Amino acid sequence: MSASSSLRSFGTALRTLLVLTVILGILYPAAILLVGRAMPAAADGSLISDHGTVVGSSLIGQDFTGDTWFHPRPSAGKYDALNSGASNLAPTSTDLAKQISDLRAQVAKTENVDPAAVPADALTASASGLDPDISPEYARLQSARVAAARHLPEETVARLVRKHTEQPLLGFIGTPTVNVLELNLALEHAAGNEG
Amino acid sequence: MAALIPGILQILLVFAALAISYRPLGDYMARVFTTTSHWRAERAIYRLGGINPDAEQGWRSYLRSLLWFTLVSLLLLYLIVRTQAFLPFSGGHTGLTPDQAWNTAVSFVTNTNWQSYSGEAAVGVTVQAVGLAVQNFLSAAVGLAVAVALFRGLARTGTAQLGNFWTDLVRGSVRILLPLSTVFAIVLLAGGVIQNLADPVTVHTLGGAVQHIPGGTVASQEAIKNLGTNGGGYFNANAAHPFENPSAWTNLLQVYLMLLIPVALTRTFGVMIGSKKHGYAILSAMGILYIGSLVGVVASELVNASGALHAAGAALEGKELRFGVIGSDLFAVSTTMTSTGATDAAHSSFTPLGGGLLVLNMVLGEISPGGVGSGMYGMLMIAILSVFIAGLMVGRTPEYLGKKIGPSQMKLASLAILVMPATVLIGTAIAFSLPSVRASLSTTGPHGLTELLYAFVSAANNNGSAFAGLSANTPVLNVMLGLVMLIGRFLPIILVLALASSFAEQRRVPDTAGTLPTHRPLFIGVMAGVALLVSALTFLPALALGPIAEALG
């Protein structure tokens, strides 16, 4: 292949790449950005406001500690939304096994229940470290503690858990979940009303 | 076990959706690559590029165009990620180091999307959209082009011409990938996948902490990431991140998108070679391997909850609650059976047997159904090897679709199959002999070997998923894995195009009573068996020391 034909091939490749970059790398994402303006809530991250201040995203889990809140799943990144990721520990890891059994004892003590009653999602870190959900079982387990700490009737808290339990779409797509941030926000409002 | 029935229904839903799109999309793609008319927009692209779209190319010319395009793509992407600090919308991120930039450029140009960087921590919108996502389109279009050139080689007789690379590239991008991505990006957006140019939003959480919620052009990238079987996540957690994959239905949609083009391409093949039966036969062999693996992974995740997962009560470590165990398994099998490599769960936290099967999926060579284009030409190499082996057994001259499989065709096909195992095994062995690489492993013993083997398998197969734990961002691993990705992508492409040409030049041998039928169940079984046999023979020793030892230990 001669030098001039190499140069021509290089030129063709470069020009074609640049044109396609404009179409696929600028026009395409820009078009989707425009469509996003028609559904800003979704496009901007499903943000939740409380009395006019943004308190988080319904899709991104937050850490909650203390007796007055429902607790989320363990997180490898401590719910840092700029540091998503999993523990990546192998199931054969003795560290992981110990971590899980320690956590089981700890959760059982916090919730004052039998260790065998603690569900798996309360003991395992999610893949993103930002899982916004817990299982309805884990939410019910925490109800009594939260109700006592907030001086609310247990039935009020149980009703909130039921209200925020999301069933699988069409009955089979996904698993039943409770969004922790939404539940805690509802709890805060319920406390305000009762108080 | 209560999760089993809903899980099976989810799987059936994806299969049903694939069945519905199979014919229309397959037929449409066949028209795209056979029509002689050009769209007005395409003519403009050809004019700007200085391309004659109607000029046919022989295999050397086709390959030369492909390699020039790849080289220029590599250079431009390298430049973009190196100079990130000076680009707009970069959110304060700086350029990547030379070794990481090399690794990243190779990774996206080869359709691998191995990520030695962490999405939210290292790259801004410009690199993501203008650099990485463009190659998500173009590397997939290159894969399609090679597959289509091979179809033409099998369909044509007495010619050296395989089509025009530039036309195939542009049509694959503009007529197939772009419209599909646009539609599904909007669907994902409606499902909660973000699309904005905002800097991270700082919020004071209810619990009294501070959280920075990221922005980005995620929806546009998520669609092509799956459709093009690329897999490079916008965020570090990839498709486990709620902004990439907000719900169980978006999870199923993403599984569908990964499988959509590779599956429908078997129809395109059938239409273009004039025998739809052969398209069904290839799809059936792919389906046997896929379903076999899926059953194995789901069973091991539900039943074999050993060690730490037994302590927890379910295999939920490294999984998102909204997808559940089976939704995560379906995604994991699909991402390793195609060349996607996106992850919605931590593969390193899968049960030893489940995780081992994910490695096995990739060592099969990603042919069931494989990456966009690459899965198809990979499976056709297996078909040719199967014809040869079956022909030897019954004493017939091996032929496939009326084309003789002579010594030169066999050499090309065998080499194309052997590139990947050779690259993986030699690469892993070299890496293991380096103390600095051993220091990158998170643990010793079988799991450590699996981490390193997985990285090389993932790179050579252009998959890109990681069995995290391995600290892969070191100069040695960045450079080595970059080389492995290049070899694993382009040596087979060279061999496949040479083979396509040797088929195109042949006359068609008429079918006789002595011709071995290559579309019946028996031959489908032989294809699946040969695929398993090749990978078992080449990888069993290495797998025995890694995942198998771990599962038994």
Side-chain angles (χ1 to χ4, degrees), chain B residues 101-336:
Chain B
W102 146 262
N103 183 284
T104 304
V106 172
S107 173
F108 279 76
V109 168
T110 56
N111 197 252
T112 311
N113 290 218
W114 172 267
Q115 294 170 290
S116 94
Y117 62 92
S118 156
E120 57 267 54
V123 291
V125 166
T126 305
V127 166
Q128 297 269 22
V130 183
L132 305 178
V134 167
Q135 285 305 322
N136 280 358
F137 279 98
L138 297 177
S139 62
V142 167
L144 268 179
V146 174
V148 166
L150 179 59
F151 299 170
R152 292 196 189 109
L154 286 163
R156 293 177 177 183
T157 55
T159 172
Q161 311 298 337
L162 294 177
N164 183 303
F165 169 74
W166 303 108
T167 315
D168 290 342
L169 176 81
V170 169
R171 286 185 184 174
S173 307
V174 171
R175 294 198 197 188
I176 297 171
L177 297 167
L178 183 58
L180 284 173
S181 297
T182 306
V183 170
F184 288 110
I186 294 170
V187 175
L188 287 170
L189 182 57
V193 181
I194 62 170
Q195 180 83 1
N196 61 59
L197 292 174
D199 286 333
V201 179
T202 302
V203 297
H204 295 275
T205 67
L206 274 189
V210 173
Q211 201 178 36
H212 306 281
I213 297 176
T217 49
V218 182
S220 54
Q221 195 151 333
E222 200 70 15
I224 185 59
K225 158 189 146 185
N226 289 300
L227 271 169
T229 61
N230 296 283
Y234 202 97
F235 300 110
N236 188 45
N238 208 311
H241 197 291
F243 278 172
E244 289 199 26
N245 200 355
S247 65
W249 73 259
T250 58
N251 190 51
L252 287 189
L253 177 67
Q254 296 198 19
V255 170
Y256 170 72
L257 293 182
M258 287 189 245
L259 298 168
L260 179 62
I261 294 177
V263 165
L265 203 56
T266 60
R267 170 79 182 186
T268 309
F269 167 70
V271 172
M272 283 182 70
I273 59 158
S275 167
K276 288 171 193 144
K277 289 181 299 194
H278 278 89
Y280 294 130
I282 294 283
L283 179 62
S284 306
M286 291 173 165
I288 290 172
L289 295 169
Y290 177 92
I291 291 170
S293 170
L294 183 60
V295 169
V297 172
V298 170
S300 85
E301 289 276 300
L302 288 183
V303 179
N304 177 22
S306 61
L309 304 181
H310 184 69
L316 271 178
E317 180 70 28
K319 294 200 178 71
E320 299 287 293
L321 194 65
R322 60 192 179 282
F323 309 147
V325 172
I326 296 183
S328 304
D329 294 349
L330 176 64
F331 195 107
V333 169
S334 304
T335 196
T336 48

Side-chain angles (χ1 to χ4, degrees), chain B residues 7-33:
Chain B
I8 290 173
L9 288 174
Q10 291 184 46
I11 293 167
L12 292 178
L13 182 68
V14 171
F15 287 0
L18 287 169
I20 291 169
S21 53
Y22 182 70
R23 277 181 64 163
L25 181 61
D27 292 352
Y28 173 72
M29 290 195 290
R31 272 202 307 283
V32 165
F33 289 114

Side-chain angles (χ1 to χ4, degrees), chain A residues 149-166:
Chain A
R150 289 188 175 255
H151 309 294
L152 284 170
E154 222 173 290
E155 178 47 35
T156 309
V157 176
R159 198 168 52 238
L160 285 176
V161 169
R162 278 198 300 277
K163 196 174 147 220
H164 285 87
T165 299
E166 186 107 21

